[in-house]
Amino acid sequence: MSSTLFIIAIDWVMRQTTSDSNRGIRWSIHSTLEDLDFADDIAMLSHTHQHIQEKTNRLQNYAGQTGLNINIKKTEIMTLNISRPSPVMSGEQELPNTNTFTYLGSVVSTDDGAEADIQLRLCKARTAFKNLQTVWRSGQYTIRTKLHLYRSCILPILLYGYECWRITERDQQKLSTFHTKSLRRILRIFWPQKISNEDLLNRCQQEHMAMIITKRLWKWIGHVLRKDQDNISRTALFWTPEGK
């Protein structure tokens, strides 16, 4: 019940914050995108410093009316194409600027690349794989069962947020290396034993990482294209930002 009341309060605060004027980024010919919200993870978007400062002031005001406060330690400002950004204030405190931040588990960076996010996913996937070490070493489970666990427990952690990745050849190699190295450990193939990646994938009935990602991307794109014409995810697929 308390979580429901919290969501209602946050929804009211954000509606009041963005209702009086358009201060967001151009989203379509007749609309702007003001903010992205998931529970208390809020990302406010604006084209100008003045607009983001006004929205921050309104957010602080309306949040205070419900007994909520902006957590300064968890609030950061990211600017694009601005060498010396003006400070954004929350009351008497200046909000820190950052080049990267994590939103809903994915790392967003100013360079528009996915390297930082992919590195984070690799770290989390390695940890998850290590936590199942007793399963990989156990003789009680068949290889088929272990591979099923790998596909259902490890790959989703590794590929979380892949829909937004701009993958370079180097990123692709890192993901592929983790994939084949994990399969070798599941099959208990260690040096000096040798087996090619092709034979390894055939033996495990697995696909190349590039093919796994490609198939998942096409599946995701099909899911988006079946949505309504004005759905936010469909709009994002064809969206062209203003400016350079």
Side-chain angles (χ1 to χ4, degrees):
M1 184 62 180
S2 60
S3 61
T4 302
L5 292 175
F6 175 76
I7 295 298
I8 293 174
I10 286 289
D11 182 67
W12 180 83
V13 168
M14 294 311 301
R15 286 179 184 272
Q16 296 301 314
T17 299
T18 60
S19 62
D20 69 316
S21 177
N22 293 330
R23 300 187 183 90
I25 60 176
R26 178 64 58 189
W27 189 238
S28 64
I29 298 177
H30 304 293
S31 66
T32 59
L33 184 63
E34 299 285 345
D35 58 293
L36 301 172
D37 308 333
F38 185 86
D40 61 342
D41 287 326
I42 299 171
M44 297 195 300
L45 311 169
S46 290
H47 270 305
T48 67
H49 172 266
Q50 178 184 348
H51 285 171
I52 197 65
Q53 183 63 72
E54 291 174 356
K55 288 169 77 170
T56 302
N57 294 340
R58 290 177 63 84
L59 174 64
Q60 186 174 32
N61 176 42
Y62 287 109
Q65 294 181 28
T66 63
L68 300 174
N69 296 308
I70 296 177
N71 190 327
I72 303 299
K73 295 181 179 179
K74 295 183 179 180
T75 305
E76 297 175 317
I77 300 295
M78 174 181 285
T79 59
L80 299 176
N81 300 326
I82 300 177
S83 57
R84 294 183 179 179
S86 300
V88 177
M89 308 298 293
S90 176
E92 299 295 326
Q93 295 180 284
E94 179 180 337
L95 298 176
N97 285 277
T98 183
N99 293 324
T100 63
F101 73 94
T102 302
Y103 186 71
L104 301 184
S106 294
V107 178
V108 182
S109 60
T110 55
D111 64 3
D112 194 32
E115 184 176 356
D117 195 25
I118 290 175
Q119 191 59 46
L120 176 65
R121 302 321 308 174
L122 284 167
C123 290
K124 290 183 177 295
R126 290 189 188 105
T127 300
F129 191 90
K130 185 177 180 180
N131 290 339
L132 291 173
Q133 200 69 254
T134 54
V135 175
W136 313 136
R137 294 176 178 176
S138 175
Q140 298 179 353
Y141 308 100
T142 63
I143 296 298
R144 182 179 179 181
T145 299
K146 293 178 182 179
L147 291 173
H148 181 72
L149 286 172
Y150 172 73
R151 288 192 299 268
S152 57
C153 297
I154 307 302
L155 284 184
I157 296 175
L158 178 67
L159 300 179
Y160 174 84
Y162 72 93
E163 301 92 340
C164 299
W165 287 350
R166 179 171 60 84
I167 303 179
T168 64
E169 192 171 321
R170 180 181 177 186
D171 295 330
Q172 183 70 66
Q173 184 59 43
K174 289 180 180 179
L175 294 168
S176 297
T177 298
F178 172 85
H179 183 47
T180 54
K181 188 174 181 179
S182 298
L183 293 177
R184 279 183 166 83
R185 289 183 175 179
I186 291 175
L187 294 185
R188 308 288 294 168
I189 298 176
F190 302 109
W191 189 87
Q193 292 177 287
K194 292 184 179 181
I195 182 175
S196 67
N197 287 337
E198 289 293 337
D199 290 341
L200 175 70
L201 294 172
N202 290 333
R203 185 171 171 181
C204 296
Q205 296 183 335
Q206 297 290 310
E207 295 176 309
H208 289 278
M209 180 55 64
M211 182 58 67
I212 293 175
I213 293 177
T214 299
K215 285 187 175 182
R216 292 190 178 208
L217 281 173
W218 279 113
K219 183 178 180 180
W220 173 75
I221 291 173
H223 175 68
V224 171
L225 292 178
R226 287 190 293 271
K227 290 182 175 294
D228 295 335
Q229 193 71 29
D230 59 348
N231 184 272
I232 188 172
S233 57
R234 185 184 175 95
T235 304
L237 188 63
F238 300 99
W239 177 60
T240 302
E242 290 183 327
K244 296 182 180 179

